[in-house]
Amino acid sequence: MTKTYARLTPLAESLPATVPFVGPETQERARGRAFAARLGANENTFGPSPHAIAAMADAAKDVWMYGDPENFELRTALAVHHQIDADNIMVGEGIDGLLGYLARLLVGPGDVVVTSQGAYPTFNYHVAGFGGRIETVPYKDDHEDPDALIAKATETGAKLVYLANPDNPMGTWHNADTIQRMIDSVPQGCLLILDEAYVEFAPDGTAPRLAPDDPRAIRMRTFSKAYGMAGARVGYAIGGKDLITAFHKIRNHFGMCRISQAGALAALRDQDHLSQTIANVAAARTRIDQIARENGLTTLPSATNFVAVDCGRDGAFAKAVLDALTDQDIFVRMPFAAPQNRCIRVSAGRPEDLDAFAAALPVALENARD
């Protein structure tokens, strides 16, 4: 008889052994070959600032030391950048890591959390991991619906409500006035998680004014997207001082690598590189739209570093297009909830990446239609 020594909690025992996303590396191993264009994970293919690369290389010689558990220099620089107090900032292992900490802080078995059906699945993954109950509302015209989210939170007595602005996976966005009205409508005892991972790519007037001590909202930002450092795992939250202090009770104090801290600090200081990246991404979004239209498709307006390409039919057809692109070594993803799953999601890649996508898309469409 096999002996068992690790006794999982009933909650852990009940959960599937899955992850929110299947990584491109996993797919490459299964396929036996690499992708020619990596356009599915919304990574910034234009890369980080050269100053960030140099700072990380220099920090590598000191990697025998743990990183500063308080992330003091980075938090101080972020405070200056945003003109807020450093005590309103928590640095963590990407937004994903911060969402996990927040769920650990606030979600217990049976607690209700509200999100949009088909929105960022990693948030749901963390909520489920702490026993929370997820309530969803549908998208409205391919946008997350702030009014419906608040109504559902009020109806269910939710502890958390999640909205990404700009949105992943659709790339759409709401203006600052709409988001501020949502913040003003958060019911008593609830906290709005405002995921702003893509906000640097968005038009002026997308993000409401930072009011870090407002207890109704916590804002999430990252170095993974516009700053081109997805592999370094650096994100930060902006919120009330009491809530930020509470993170210290449960976070991994040595979770931030000193190399990542050094890179993020240098990246933040190189705003010229950020501006160039934003211009590169805008040009890539235009190119994706052109490629789609050349093939009889349309796209959704995007305020992110990806574009949702409307394949014009249903989810099964979009999945066939995605599979046919994968067969040609083009890695893309798609939304998983109807009707948004009529689209495929294409990252704003380099010209050579989009050349490969342009060559593969007609073949993929032809194969999907057979």
Side-chain angles (χ1 to χ4, degrees), residues 29-189:
R29 286 189 289 271
R31 298 166 69 247
R33 65 182 189 273
F35 286 110
R38 185 165 162 143
L39 298 170
N42 303 343
E43 296 152 325
N44 178 355
T45 60
F46 300 103
S49 160
H51 297 296
I53 295 171
M56 288 187 284
D58 184 61
K61 70 179 184 299
D62 292 324
V63 77
W64 60 271
M65 291 187 283
Y66 291 111
D68 175 7
E70 294 184 0
N71 299 281
F72 178 81
E73 286 189 81
L74 181 55
R75 286 173 51 246
T76 299
L78 285 166
V80 172
H81 179 73
H82 289 297
Q83 297 182 324
I84 61 176
D85 196 308
D87 289 339
N88 291 110
I89 300 171
M90 174 56 59
V91 171
E93 302 92 318
I95 289 178
D96 289 354
L98 291 165
L99 289 174
Y101 291 140
L102 191 63
R104 184 178 178 185
L105 273 174
L106 299 178
V107 177
D111 286 338
V112 177
V113 172
V114 173
T115 186
S116 300
Q117 185 179 12
Y120 189 49
T122 301
F123 176 63
N124 301 10
Y125 171 80
H126 288 308
V127 171
F130 290 100
R133 177 163 65 87
I134 298 167
E135 294 279 347
T136 63
V137 301
Y139 277 65
K140 181 179 180 180
D141 299 326
D142 295 320
H143 291 67
E144 292 199 68
D145 188 340
D147 292 337
L149 288 164
I150 290 297
K152 179 64 75 172
T154 302
E155 170 196 334
T156 60
K159 293 186 76 174
L160 292 172
V161 58
Y162 172 91
L163 178 135
N165 191 52
D167 177 62
N168 178 16
M170 304 314 294
T172 51
W173 68 101
H174 293 285
N175 64 32
D177 289 343
T178 299
I179 300 300
Q180 187 59 55
R181 285 195 298 273
M182 185 181 186
I183 295 171
D184 292 340
S185 301
V186 171
Q188 181 70 30

Side-chain angles (χ1 to χ4, degrees), residues 2-360:
T2 302
K3 293 182 178 180
T4 301
Y5 294 93
R7 293 178 292 171
L8 300 181
T9 67
L11 173 61
E13 189 71 54
S14 71
L15 295 172
T18 58
V19 294
F21 299 105
V22 177
E25 294 84 0
T26 303
Q27 295 183 47
E28 288 173 335
R29 286 189 289 271
R31 298 166 69 247
R33 65 182 189 273
F35 286 110
R38 185 165 162 143
L39 298 170
N42 303 343
E43 296 152 325
N44 178 355
T45 60
F46 300 103
S49 160
H51 297 296
I53 295 171
M56 288 187 284
D58 184 61
K61 70 179 184 299
D62 292 324
V63 77
W64 60 271
M65 291 187 283
Y66 291 111
D68 175 7
E70 294 184 0
N71 299 281
F72 178 81
E73 286 189 81
L74 181 55
R75 286 173 51 246
T76 299
L78 285 166
V80 172
H81 179 73
H82 289 297
Q83 297 182 324
I84 61 176
D85 196 308
D87 289 339
N88 291 110
I89 300 171
M90 174 56 59
V91 171
E93 302 92 318
I95 289 178
D96 289 354
L98 291 165
L99 289 174
Y101 291 140
L102 191 63
R104 184 178 178 185
L105 273 174
L106 299 178
V107 177
D111 286 338
V112 177
V113 172
V114 173
T115 186
S116 300
Q117 185 179 12
Y120 189 49
T122 301
F123 176 63
N124 301 10
Y125 171 80
H126 288 308
V127 171
F130 290 100
R133 177 163 65 87
I134 298 167
E135 294 279 347
T136 63
V137 301
Y139 277 65
K140 181 179 180 180
D141 299 326
D142 295 320
H143 291 67
E144 292 199 68
D145 188 340
D147 292 337
L149 288 164
I150 290 297
K152 179 64 75 172
T154 302
E155 170 196 334
T156 60
K159 293 186 76 174
L160 292 172
V161 58
Y162 172 91
L163 178 135
N165 191 52
D167 177 62
N168 178 16
M170 304 314 294
T172 51
W173 68 101
H174 293 285
N175 64 32
D177 289 343
T178 299
I179 300 300
Q180 187 59 55
R181 285 195 298 273
M182 185 181 186
I183 295 171
D184 292 340
S185 301
V186 171
Q188 181 70 30
C190 185
L191 177 71
L192 170 63
I193 304 171
L194 186 55
D195 185 339
E196 297 177 315
Y198 299 94
V199 75
E200 287 88 357
F201 299 115
D204 290 341
T206 298
R209 181 183 63 86
L210 284 176
D213 286 313
D214 188 333
R216 299 171 295 185
I218 185 168
R219 313 274 283 265
M220 300 286 187
R221 302 280 179 98
T222 186
F223 284 85
S224 293
K225 305 303 179 183
Y227 288 100
M229 294 179 58
R233 310 311 301 131
V234 186
Y236 60 102
I238 298 172
K241 293 177 183 177
D242 289 345
L243 178 58
I244 295 299
T245 297
F247 276 82
H248 294 298
K249 299 180 179 183
I250 49 85
R251 71 181 177 91
N252 180 357
H253 284 257
F254 291 102
M256 292 302 305
C257 171
R258 67 184 302 111
I259 297 173
S260 298
Q261 291 181 34
L265 185 61
L268 185 66
R269 290 170 174 164
D270 192 353
Q271 292 294 304
D272 288 342
H273 182 82
L274 177 66
S275 298
Q276 184 59 58
T277 295
I278 292 169
N280 290 340
V281 166
R285 290 197 306 243
T286 299
R287 176 85 193 284
I288 294 169
D289 179 70
Q290 291 171 343
I291 293 167
R293 293 181 186 282
E294 288 166 1
N295 287 276
L297 307 179
T298 59
T299 65
L300 275 63
S302 173
T304 64
N305 70 330
F306 62 86
V307 176
V309 177
D310 191 334
C311 293
R313 297 193 189 180
D314 59 9
F317 179 73
K319 180 62 164 59
V321 174
L322 183 149
D323 289 342
L325 287 168
T326 300
D327 289 342
Q328 299 175 79
D329 302 331
I330 309 297
F331 168 56
V332 299
R333 285 192 175 129
M334 61 183 286
F336 60 85
Q340 284 69 47
N341 65 352
R342 72 188 189 279
C343 299
I344 58 172
R345 195 191 67 185
V346 183
S347 300
R350 300 163 298 182
E352 58 267 33
D353 300 319
L354 298 184
D355 287 345
F357 173 65

